[in-house]
Amino acid sequence: MAQDQEVVISPAGWVARQARTYEESGGTKGTTMQGAPCLLLDYRGRRTGQWRRTVLIYGRDGDDYLIVASNGGSARHPLWYLNLEAEPDVRLMVGPERFSARAETLGPEEKARVWPYLVELFAPYEGYQKKTARDIPVVRLSRTKD
């Protein structure tokens, strides 16, 4: 993504506020949520092609980043996840660092391996999974060359 392309921030009020704080501080503020680390995810809208931004809790698996498409335990996937399925090339801001990455949904075995760690990182994930019949996806974000 070219740095001059406009990015639309999530319409959710608290997400927009945190994303602006994160961005405007150069990645020194707004980097946690309830004690868990957060990143900024820029992704392309599957219908509009417009770049969009959200704030997500992340975990690590080696050099990769893991994000959870929990949507608070809703019966529906979050919109950002649907967009990643259509266009997996994304941009991340983790702390002060910006880089390109590629998204891939984990298969059942890999998810089972990392899920306990993610629940330890952010305990509400366990309740979100119990709240919905939907299998909550876990997405691996792997750094790519810019």
Side-chain angles (χ1 to χ4, degrees), residues 99-115:
F99 54 93
S100 297
R102 186 153 181 95
E104 175 188 15
T105 301
L106 299 185
E109 287 181 16
E110 249 194 312
K111 179 185 173 184
R113 178 180 65 80
V114 300
W115 186 252

Side-chain angles (χ1 to χ4, degrees), residues 14-15 17-23 25-42 53-60 65-68 91-99 117-118 121-122 125 141:
W14 70 268
V15 176
R17 284 189 299 278
Q18 186 170 357
R20 283 190 195 95
T21 298
Y22 202 123
E23 176 77 28
S25 72
T28 62
K29 296 180 182 171
T31 59
T32 62
M33 183 184 318
Q34 298 180 29
C38 294
L39 55 74
L40 294 183
L41 172 70
D42 291 353
R53 175 172 295 151
T54 194
V55 178
L56 296 168
I57 291 171
Y58 73 88
R60 296 296 304 264
Y65 297 84
L66 301 173
I67 55 176
V68 178
R91 296 264 315 158
L92 303 180
M93 182 172 184
V94 182
E97 188 179 14
R98 285 193 175 280
F99 54 93
Y117 157 68
L118 294 168
L121 182 70
F122 188 68
Y125 288 148
L141 301 168

Side-chain angles (χ1 to χ4, degrees), residues 8 10-11 14-15 39-46 52-58 66-72 76-90 92 103-105 125 134 136-141:
V8 175
S10 170
W14 70 268
V15 176
L39 55 74
L40 294 183
L41 172 70
D42 291 353
Y43 58 92
R44 194 176 288 277
R46 65 192 181 286
R52 301 185 180 282
R53 175 172 295 151
T54 194
V55 178
L56 296 168
I57 291 171
Y58 73 88
L66 301 173
I67 55 176
V68 178
S70 66
N71 205 16
R76 296 180 184 205
H77 291 309
L79 294 176
W80 63 259
Y81 177 73
L82 300 176
N83 288 311
L84 291 190
E85 285 188 303
E87 176 50 65
D89 293 319
V90 299
L92 303 180
E104 175 188 15
T105 301
Y125 288 148
R134 170 178 71 90
I136 293 177
V138 174
V139 177
R140 175 181 304 283
L141 301 168

